[in-house]
Amino acid sequence: MIWTVLRDARRRGEIERVDKGKYRARAGAGRRCGRDRMWSVIRMRRRITADDLAELAGVERSYASSYLRDLARTEVVRARWQGRQRVYELAHGYTGHMQTPPGDNAERIRRFRAKKKAAMEALDKAMGALQEARAALADD
């Protein structure tokens, strides 16, 4: 069974053979995004704090906390206080057999990009007016 797993990992390019019976992970191969890593940790642990999730998934604490809040908002996890820490627990009866749950980050990013576009257009308009004013002053 181990040889089958190693063979499949070699075919996917995740590991490479160094010597007979010796393998190593290829740089950058098989890396998953932070959301996928966090989702895997939550499914394994079933109950976790933002600090623990950040450490185990290798992401920033603010990112882990935001992700947990998004999951709580969609009722995938439940939040409760345990002393001074908020503990998130996978919802009862939730099997966890799905891809990374959607968050509302996409909508936030869309709003941010729309604001950025509007700000850039206003800045371009202001720069045009400034250039016209400079040209008018230079003509005098």
Side-chain angles (χ1 to χ4, degrees):
M1 186 173 185
I2 292 172
W3 292 111
T4 304
V5 171
L6 288 171
R7 182 196 68 213
D8 292 344
R10 273 184 72 191
R11 287 181 181 168
R12 288 189 306 267
E14 295 173 357
I15 62 173
E16 61 187 350
R17 186 175 175 184
V18 178
D19 199 6
K20 186 174 182 176
K22 294 182 182 181
Y23 298 86
R24 72 171 166 219
R26 296 184 71 191
R31 295 194 56 170
R32 297 178 2 211
C33 71
R35 287 172 52 95
D36 289 340
R37 290 192 311 265
M38 287 189 289
W39 179 235
S40 293
V41 170
I42 291 168
R43 283 186 12 225
M44 285 186 279
R45 297 281 304 265
R46 298 230 178 258
R47 182 181 300 153
I48 197 160
T49 65
D51 290 331
D52 291 342
L53 180 60
E55 184 175 338
L56 293 171
V59 297
E60 294 290 324
R61 189 205 181 283
S62 60
Y63 185 41
S65 181
S66 172
Y67 184 66
L68 287 168
R69 279 193 310 271
D70 289 345
L71 292 179
R73 206 174 298 122
T74 57
E75 298 180 359
V76 173
V77 297
R78 273 183 244 155
R80 62 181 173 78
W81 287 97
Q82 187 175 21
R84 291 185 172 193
Q85 284 190 321
R86 184 173 283 190
V87 177
Y88 295 87
E89 186 172 3
L90 202 56
H92 180 69
Y94 193 83
T95 61
H97 296 297
M98 66 181 253
Q99 295 295 327
T100 305
D104 65 351
N105 282 342
E107 183 58 34
R108 265 187 259 162
I109 291 170
R110 274 191 219 94
R111 285 193 309 263
F112 171 76
R113 287 181 179 159
K115 286 180 184 178
K116 181 179 175 183
K117 183 178 179 182
M120 291 300 289
E121 288 172 357
L123 187 58
D124 288 342
K125 188 176 178 180
M127 290 295 291
L130 184 59
Q131 287 175 350
E132 287 177 19
R134 280 189 180 164
L137 289 174
D139 288 342
D140 289 341

